[in-house]
């Protein structure tokens, strides 16, 4: 009996020693791993990160702006016009648009927008033909026929619902299609971003629309210039851009870059 008790006591002591060794291993393992992580830089990776002491914030901003570089020899003048447009938009255009939205029912505003959009499909069709875009010309012709008849002179836009989306083409794109360079960047009063080529295109589109006199609108507008005012208000109403919305001191550069690149894409499509 005594031998059995001694044997049982010996086994219990051995188990206690083994458990103590296991607990010591568990306690020491995290510390070892942590020391390894510290050495490898996983726990505090910023300790091993090295910065270029010669690069300051001004150099970074200058490098960023160089990536947005656009041919702009008239930048000083353009910035003045940009500032004028900013204030005109804030003090005149947007208050008028807000008043227009307040006093005009939604269905009337939609009708006005659709009417002028249908009118704009005339130069769209002309420029699609000049660029030999056959499918786009057919789609624009279909839009004009459907919206002018079924849509009651364009007050509604059933063409979009039957799979004839609006395709915007202008003479600036046509000139670009034939390889005419964009020329210097320009900011037009009230109208906004443009360039020398696109400004000439605007003049051509306006003259073509007046000569075609679709739905007799050009002749009526000459007798009632308030239609030009309504069209300008509608164009600003349908444009979601707001000066200052980028919340950046480099808004001028960004708008200039986006406009220039978007025109390249429109010409290439």
């Amino acid at each position: 009996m005594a031998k059995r008790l001694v044997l049982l006591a010996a086994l219990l002591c051995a188990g206690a020693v083994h458990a103590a060794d296991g607990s010591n291993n568990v306690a020491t393992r995290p510390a070892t791993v942590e020391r390894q992580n510290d050495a490898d830089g996983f726990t505090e990776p910023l300790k091993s990160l090295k910065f270029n002491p010669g690069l300051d914030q001004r150099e970074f901003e200058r490098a960023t702006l160089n990536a947005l570089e656009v041919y702009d020899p008239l930048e000083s003048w353009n910035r003045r016009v940009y500032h004028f447009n900013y204030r005109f938009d804030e003090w005149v255009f947007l208050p008028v648009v807000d008043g227009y939205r307040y006093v005009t029912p939604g269905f009337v505003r939609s009708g006005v927008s659709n009417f002028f959009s249908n009118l704009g499909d005339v130069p769209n069709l002309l420029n699609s033909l000049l660029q030999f875009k056959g499918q786009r010309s057919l789609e624009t012709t279909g839009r004009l026929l459907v919206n002018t008849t079924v849509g009651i002179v364009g007050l509604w836009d059933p063409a979009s619902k039957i799979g004839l989306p609006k395709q915007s083409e202008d003479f600036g794109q046509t000139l670009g299609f034939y390889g005419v360079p964009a020329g210097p960047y320009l900011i037009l009063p009230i109208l906004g971003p443009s360039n020398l080529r696109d400004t000439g295109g605007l003049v051509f589109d306006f003259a073509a629309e007046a000569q075609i006199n679709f739905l007799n609108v050009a002749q009526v507008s000459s007798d009632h210039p308030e239609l030009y005012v309504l069209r300008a208000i509608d164009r600003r109403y349908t444009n979601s851009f707001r000066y200052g919305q980028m919340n950046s001191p480099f808004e001028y550069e960004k708008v200039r870059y986006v406009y220039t690149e978007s025109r390249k894409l429109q010409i290439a499509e």
Side-chain angles (χ1 to χ4, degrees):
M1 184 67 180
K3 291 181 178 180
R4 291 180 179 179
L5 291 176
V6 171
L7 181 59
L8 180 60
L11 291 174
L12 290 175
C13 289
V17 171
H18 180 72
D21 291 341
S23 63
N24 288 338
N25 291 336
V26 172
T28 57
R29 187 178 298 113
T32 304
V33 173
E34 185 175 356
R35 284 195 298 271
Q36 291 175 350
N37 288 343
D38 285 342
D40 293 340
F42 296 123
T43 303
E44 299 182 47
L46 293 180
K47 278 188 174 181
S48 61
L49 186 62
K50 298 183 181 300
F51 294 93
N52 184 352
L55 182 65
D56 59 15
Q57 184 64 23
R58 287 176 298 178
E59 289 296 328
F60 175 78
E61 292 176 357
R62 186 178 296 110
T64 303
L65 292 178
N66 287 339
L68 305 181
E69 192 64 34
V70 172
Y71 181 54
D72 188 7
L74 303 174
E75 182 174 350
S76 178
W77 167 257
N78 284 334
R79 285 185 178 273
R80 292 189 182 95
V81 179
Y82 190 88
H83 181 73
F84 167 80
N85 290 348
Y86 190 120
R87 294 309 179 191
F88 182 85
D89 201 60
E90 179 183 11
W91 296 338
V92 179
F93 231 159
L94 290 182
V96 170
V97 168
D98 290 339
Y100 171 71
R101 183 185 292 110
Y102 180 77
V103 301
T104 310
F107 73 93
V108 175
R109 296 196 302 270
S110 297
V112 170
S113 297
N114 290 334
F115 177 80
F116 287 126
S117 177
N118 186 57
L119 194 66
D121 273 336
V122 174
N124 288 343
L125 174 59
L126 176 61
N127 285 290
S128 295
L129 291 171
L130 290 174
Q131 296 175 53
F132 304 105
K133 295 181 177 179
Q135 181 177 353
R136 183 161 294 188
S137 299
L138 290 175
E139 291 177 352
T140 305
T141 301
R143 280 185 57 84
L144 277 168
L145 291 174
V146 172
N147 286 343
T148 304
T149 55
V150 180
I152 309 177
V153 299
L155 294 176
W156 286 271
D157 184 15
S160 295
K161 296 181 180 179
I162 63 173
L164 293 173
K166 186 176 181 65
Q167 306 284 354
S168 296
E169 298 286 344
D170 56 66
F171 195 67
Q173 290 174 245
T174 300
L175 292 174
F177 174 81
Y178 286 102
V180 177
Y185 180 73
L186 292 174
I187 296 288
L188 302 179
I190 301 177
L191 297 178
S194 185
N195 55 49
L196 186 60
R197 180 195 61 210
D198 293 346
T199 301
L202 284 175
V203 175
F204 177 88
D205 288 334
F206 181 79
E209 190 175 302
Q211 290 298 318
I212 295 173
N213 195 25
F214 183 63
L215 298 176
N216 204 33
V217 172
Q219 183 176 349
V220 173
S221 298
S222 63
D223 299 329
H224 298 276
E226 60 270 17
L227 287 177
Y228 290 118
V229 177
L230 178 60
R231 192 170 187 176
I233 293 173
D234 173 72
R235 180 169 294 185
R236 190 64 187 97
Y237 166 72
T238 56
N239 190 337
S240 61
F241 174 77
R242 294 294 183 269
Y243 288 96
Q245 66 181 358
M246 294 183 181
N247 194 28
S248 168
F250 308 113
E251 181 178 279
Y252 174 87
E253 288 84 358
K254 291 180 179 180
V255 170
R256 180 180 63 184
Y257 178 79
V258 169
Y259 174 82
T260 302
E261 294 303 311
S262 65
R263 292 298 288 176
K264 291 179 182 178
L265 293 175
Q266 288 170 348
I267 292 169
E269 67 178 357

